């Protein structure tokens, strides 16, 4: 009708309330409000459902692309077991994840030297061996018996020696007992680049030499990726650290570390006597713990020139070690003559061999191993560990990088980022 103004029910109620005579809502008004609320909730639910569907489709597309183009890096040994050749190979689609296994989308994988001799000794005979074991990534799927992880968890770990999948691949299968959660503030490359050196440092300083506050520690080649982590762990435990440098650049790197190192011994010119420097630093008492990076076993005439320059003789280590000291060696072919053993006996010293693979060769102490992995990540997250890392590289450069690492080229840790 002309001149008639149509007022909504909500406006009418507001006007009537203001005039002092509340209006009585009609049933049609209630039905309209209920319908509006229902439509609003249905719209929000529909929008949320659409988002989930879109996300699932995107994940399916990524997974399909990975399966269609998935390549992995492998190595092949020559018949004499002396030369290693690295090759990329197409990967078959991974089978359904079962039991305690986790399907992992790899975000970063660190590169480490391959101990081909160890693989031969444990009778691992394959045409092609997978390359890359220190991985960090996102859980895509879990087996029916997995209890520690669920899809979308961010994890880090070390693949076992008998792993069928190379870490240098976009998707791998790994047992849940080889993984721990990655802290949120730790990057993918830092996690993958620190995990193995952290395990080695813990094995050497905690389990083989029982590091405690106030002890003196000699860490050989402290400017290497592993040496840096070992120094940081020793400092964190309150130890006095002495280290050797193989070049002027390494010496400058060690002198910049905080907390400061008690003494940096430059062995690059071959004129400094390590035993004398350590005895001078400790007041003639000797060091409590020695962590070497290899030693010379023979006379000068029987050793290569590079060893003569950079590595101490085994007699130097025996001389500088203190009473009740611990010598942790990476020299797998260490030979001690009767006089050497007698000197160690008089000092009550011990000799231990650093082989961090023992954690993967036996599952007797699996719980302790997982505690180490978790503690390494916690120290990385809190800033105790500051890894010495190179810039991340893409997957297609991994072959060339591994060839250099196998020849002991490069000082910093190299990590492939996916």
């Amino acid at each position: 009708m002309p001149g008639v103004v149509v007022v909504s029910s909500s406006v009418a109620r507001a006007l009537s309330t203001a005039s002092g005579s509340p209006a009585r809502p009609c049933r049609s008004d209630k039905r309209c409000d209920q319908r509006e609320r229902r439509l609003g909730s249905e719209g929000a639910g529909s929008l949320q459902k659409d988002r989930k569907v879109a996300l699932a489709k995107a994940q399916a597309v990524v997974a399909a692309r990975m399966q269609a183009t998935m390549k992995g890096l492998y190595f092949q040994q020559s018949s004499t077991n002396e030369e290693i050749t690295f090759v990329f190979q197409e990967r078959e689609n991974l089978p359904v994840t079962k039991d305690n296994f986790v399907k992992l989308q790899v975000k970063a994988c660190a590169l480490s030297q391959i101990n081909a001799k160890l693989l031969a000794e444990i009778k691992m005979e394959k045409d092609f061996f997978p390359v890359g074991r220190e991985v960090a990534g996102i859980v895509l799927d879990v087996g029916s018996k997995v209890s520690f992880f669920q899809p979308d968890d961010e994890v880090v770990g070390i693949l076992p020696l008998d792993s069928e999948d190379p870490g240098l691949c976009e998707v791998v299968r790994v047992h849940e007992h080889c993984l721990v959660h990655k802290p949120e503030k730790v990057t993918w490359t830092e996690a993958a680049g620190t995990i193995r050196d952290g395990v080695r440092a813990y094995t050497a300083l905690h389990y083989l030499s029982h590091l405690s506050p106030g002890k003196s520690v000699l860490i050989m080649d402290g400017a290497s990726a592993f040496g840096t982590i070992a120094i940081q762990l020793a400092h964190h435990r309150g130890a006095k650290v002495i280290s050797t440098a193989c070049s002027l650049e390494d010496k400058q790197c060690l002198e910049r570390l905080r907390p400061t190192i008690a003494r940096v011994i430059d062995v690059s010119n071959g004129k400094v006597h390590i035993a004398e420097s350590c005895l001078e630093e400790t007041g003639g008492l000797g060091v409590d713990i020695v962590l070497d990076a290899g030693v010379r076993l023979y006379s000068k005439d029987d050793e290569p020139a590079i060893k003569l320059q950079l590595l101490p003789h085994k007699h130097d280590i025996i001389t500088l070690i203190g009473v009740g000291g611990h010598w942790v060696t990476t020299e797998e072919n260490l030979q001690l003559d009767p006089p050497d053993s007698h000197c160690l006996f008089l000092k009550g010293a011990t000799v231990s061999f650093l082989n961090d693979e023992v954690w993967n060769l036996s599952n007797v102490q699996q719980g302790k191993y997982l505690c180490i992995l978790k503690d390494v990540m916690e120290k990385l997250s809190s800033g105790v560990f500051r890894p010495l890392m190179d810039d991340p590289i893409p997957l297609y450069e991994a072959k060339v990088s591994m060839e250099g690492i196998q020849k002991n080229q490069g000082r910093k840790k190299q990590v492939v980022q996916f």
Side-chain angles (χ1 to χ4, degrees), residues 230-367:
I231 289 173
Q232 292 165 356
L233 179 59
H235 272 148
H236 180 70
R237 292 289 292 162
K240 176 182 180 179
V241 178
I242 305 170
S243 185
T244 61
C246 300
S247 65
L248 179 61
E249 183 181 1
D250 287 353
K251 182 181 179 181
Q252 294 172 347
C253 175
L254 291 173
E255 289 174 343
R256 288 194 298 266
L257 291 179
R258 295 294 180 271
T260 57
I261 297 175
R263 176 175 290 200
V264 178
I265 305 171
D266 186 359
V267 298
S268 59
N269 55 16
K271 298 179 180 179
V272 178
H273 198 278
I274 294 179
E276 290 180 1
S277 300
C278 291
L279 291 173
E280 180 183 345
E281 184 64 36
T282 58
L285 298 177
V287 299
D288 299 305
I289 300 170
V290 178
L291 175 55
D292 71 35
V295 294
R296 287 188 288 117
L297 303 177
Y298 312 110
S299 62
K300 293 182 178 181
D301 299 332
D302 300 326
E303 293 280 11
I306 188 66
K307 269 198 167 187
L308 287 175
Q309 183 180 3
L310 302 179
L311 296 181
H313 196 277
K314 61 180 178 181
H315 293 155
D316 296 332
I317 304 295
I318 296 172
T319 301
L320 64 86
I321 197 168
V323 174
H326 301 275
W327 177 9
V328 181
T329 181
T330 59
E331 180 55 62
E332 59 185 37
N333 296 315
L334 180 66
Q335 299 178 19
L336 296 178
D337 300 322
D340 302 332
S341 299
H342 184 66
C343 185
L344 291 171
F345 166 76
L346 292 177
K347 292 185 176 185
T350 62
V351 179
S352 303
F353 293 88
L354 177 57
N355 176 17
D356 55 293
E357 297 294 355
V358 295
W359 299 106
N360 285 306
L361 293 175
S362 173
N363 58 4
V364 174
Q365 301 186 25
Q366 192 71 37

Side-chain angles (χ1 to χ4, degrees), residues 79-91:
S79 57
T80 58
N81 291 333
E82 293 181 357
E83 187 177 345
I84 287 181
T85 304
F86 295 94
V87 294
F88 279 106
Q89 284 194 332
E90 292 285 348
R91 292 284 316 283

Side-chain angles (χ1 to χ4, degrees), residues 197 201 205 219 225-235 241 291 385:
D197 288 332
L205 298 178
I219 298 176
F226 166 61
T228 303
I229 295 295
I231 289 173
Q232 292 165 356
L233 179 59
H235 272 148
V241 178
L291 175 55
F385 287 157

Side-chain angles (χ1 to χ4, degrees), residues 15 36 48 64-65 72 95 98 101 106 131 140 171 179 181-182 227 232 236 299 304-305 339 372 383:
L15 292 174
E36 289 175 1
Q48 187 175 7
R65 180 181 61 83
K98 295 182 179 180
F101 281 85
V106 180
V131 177
L140 296 177
V171 179
L179 301 170
H181 286 94
K182 180 186 76 68
Q232 292 165 356
H236 180 70
S299 62
I372 295 175

Side-chain angles (χ1 to χ4, degrees), residues 149 154-157 178-182 195 370 373-374 377:
F149 306 104
E154 297 182 353
V155 297
V156 59
C178 297
L179 301 170
V180 293
H181 286 94
K182 180 186 76 68
I195 190 69
L370 291 176
L373 296 180
K374 184 178 179 181
M377 285 297 103

Side-chain angles (χ1 to χ4, degrees), residues 107-145:
K107 290 293 186 179
C109 178
L111 306 181
S112 297
Q113 195 173 42
I114 296 169
N115 191 341
K117 184 178 178 181
L118 176 63
L119 294 175
E121 289 175 345
I122 61 177
K123 308 299 182 183
M124 289 189 62
E125 298 179 357
K126 298 180 182 179
D127 293 332
F128 295 93
F129 292 86
V131 177
R133 295 173 54 205
E134 305 106 283
V135 297
I138 301 175
V139 175
L140 296 177
D141 191 18
V142 298
S144 58
K145 296 182 180 179

